[in-house]
Amino acid sequence: MKAALLVRPGEIMVAQVPRPEAGPSEVVIQVRSCGVCATDVKKFTGASKAPHLPFILGHEPAGVIVEAGPEVSPHLKPGTRVAVAPVFTCGECYGCRNGLVYSQGMGMCDNYQVLGYSIDGAFAEYIAAPARQTHVIPDELSFREAALIEPVAACVNGALRATQLPPGTVAVIGAGFMGLTTIQLLAVLGNRVIASDLLEERRQLALKLGADVALDPGAEDVAARVRALTHGRGVDGVVCAVGGKAVTEQGLAMLAKGGMLVLLASGPSGMKFEIDLNKIHYEQSVITGSVSYTGPGYRSSIDMLTRGLLDTDTLITAAGPLEDTQRFLEMTRDLQGLKKVVMI
């Protein structure tokens, strides 16, 4: 089969590799689509070391089952359209056994493996995956759109961690794919959304996709403007969809009493930020992260995408064959466009 191999940092080569076989509780999937993610770019550039070279990136796949192991449930038979939830949890650690993975996200597992990150991924014609990681997708959901399920589910986790009931005002810092998806989700939930991004094009997209206001951090004091827009109170939640010291500190400065700051994006290894301890103490501010997705969030993402609740045409800015993998990774690295989807 063909696969796009990372042969060294910055270089992808499409070559023939052995097709995988299904283990007793696995399925083999003919991959029809796989999204390109900023996490892939970390491996592509060498910012995060690949477990081995050559290595196959890609962790947002959808396709058709072509082989099922003898222990696989009959409902996952050959011909079934599926998406693969790419974080393979162990089922044995404290987080898995005590509900943390289910309620807070796959990152709560102590021993998880990630398709295309710690094990070979889905920029390939076929993959083998545990049957328990596959989710049937309806015929109404195209494979192009199904490549968005995992990143949308990650945004669902972050959006829900930043919101309260009744809906309030939430700021989203960064209007790349994850930020714009989060903006749509927050708007669907009834929140007033304030977006912030350095790029004019992305601010305009934020307004198109549901933001009430889009601010330019390069031209104004965003925290002060947010305070003014909320009559001095601040926002109920902040989602940092880009990682960094200044962004995190800016987000804290926007929070209302009792507000929630959610770090949806990681920063460089070892990065630290400063906080006023009394803000946390007296205002009862909460700082938390959001890693990956929950099982319920993944399934709800399938439903939302199938029902057309998200503007996927705006979110997907390029789609092409396996041979476009390097170009799509370079575009993502250089902040060109939003989501790219490899169609296989």
Side-chain angles (χ1 to χ4, degrees):
M1 69 173 187
K2 288 196 302 184
L5 304 174
L6 176 66
V7 292
R8 60 180 61 85
E11 184 180 348
I12 297 290
M13 179 178 69
V14 176
Q16 292 288 327
V17 298
R19 175 182 148 171
E21 297 180 357
S25 59
E26 292 183 327
V27 293
V28 172
I29 297 162
Q30 181 183 18
V31 179
R32 299 291 299 276
S33 66
C34 186
V36 177
C37 176
T39 303
D40 298 316
V41 172
K42 292 179 182 179
K43 287 280 193 286
F44 174 65
T45 61
S48 173
K49 187 177 180 181
H52 56 81
L53 293 174
F55 184 69
I56 305 174
L57 300 169
H59 63 273
E60 301 171 354
V64 178
I65 294 175
V66 295
E67 179 187 349
E71 297 176 9
V72 174
S73 170
H75 83 281
L76 293 175
K77 61 183 183 297
T80 305
R81 304 170 83 252
V82 295
V84 180
V87 183
F88 301 170
T89 53
C90 71
E92 299 293 335
C93 70
Y94 182 90
C96 286
R97 287 184 173 271
N98 288 275
L100 296 178
V101 166
Y102 183 85
S103 62
Q104 297 190 42
M106 302 296 123
M108 295 297 101
C109 174
D110 291 335
N111 308 300
Y112 64 82
Q113 298 283 332
V114 183
L115 190 70
Y117 192 82
S118 56
I119 57 177
D120 278 315
F123 292 147
E125 291 183 303
Y126 298 89
I127 57 170
R132 62 186 175 86
Q133 297 296 134
T134 62
H135 295 254
V136 177
I137 58 174
D139 292 340
E140 295 84 356
L141 183 62
S142 71
F143 287 116
R144 179 176 178 270
E145 292 171 320
L148 301 187
I149 295 169
E150 190 273 343
V152 168
C155 292
V156 168
N157 197 23
L160 292 178
R161 292 173 75 82
T163 55
Q164 304 176 33
L165 292 175
T169 302
V170 183
V172 178
I173 303 177
F177 172 81
M178 298 294 278
L180 291 169
T181 300
T182 301
I183 286 166
Q184 290 194 75
L185 293 168
L186 290 168
V188 167
L189 291 170
N191 295 279
R192 180 190 186 198
V193 182
I194 301 173
S196 171
D197 197 277
L198 287 166
L199 300 179
E200 170 65 19
E201 178 185 5
R202 292 189 172 185
R203 293 195 298 274
Q204 292 303 316
L205 286 173
L207 293 171
K208 175 183 178 182
L209 296 178
D212 297 273
V213 182
L215 306 178
D216 179 359
E220 59 185 320
D221 183 335
V222 170
R225 181 74 187 286
V226 166
R227 290 281 176 183
L229 289 167
T230 55
H231 307 289
R233 179 175 174 270
V235 291
D236 302 292
V238 175
V239 178
C240 293
V242 289
K245 178 179 185 295
V247 166
T248 306
E249 292 171 358
Q250 184 185 80
L252 277 169
M254 299 179 190
L255 278 183
K257 289 183 178 180
M260 179 83 73
L261 175 71
V262 178
L263 305 181
L264 185 61
S266 62
S269 179
M271 176 169 283
K272 298 176 174 58
F273 63 91
E274 297 179 2
I275 59 174
D276 180 346
L277 294 182
N278 283 333
K279 178 175 178 63
I280 305 300
H281 173 66
Y282 287 111
E283 298 188 11
Q284 297 182 202
S285 304
V286 177
I287 305 171
T288 187
S290 181
V291 178
S292 194
Y293 55 87
T294 65
Y298 193 95
R299 290 187 290 275
S300 72
S301 297
I302 296 173
D303 180 64
M304 285 189 289
L305 287 165
T306 302
R307 293 164 61 202
L309 297 182
L310 301 179
D311 183 348
T312 57
D313 287 338
T314 296
L315 292 173
I316 298 173
T317 54
L322 198 60
E323 288 74 14
D324 282 338
T325 302
Q326 170 138 353
R327 182 169 68 90
F328 288 169
L329 288 164
E330 291 171 344
M331 291 173 64
T332 305
R333 177 198 63 195
D334 298 337
L335 304 181
Q336 297 176 8
L338 297 171
K339 177 61 70 175
K340 296 85 185 172
V341 178
V342 175
M343 304 297 294
I344 304 170

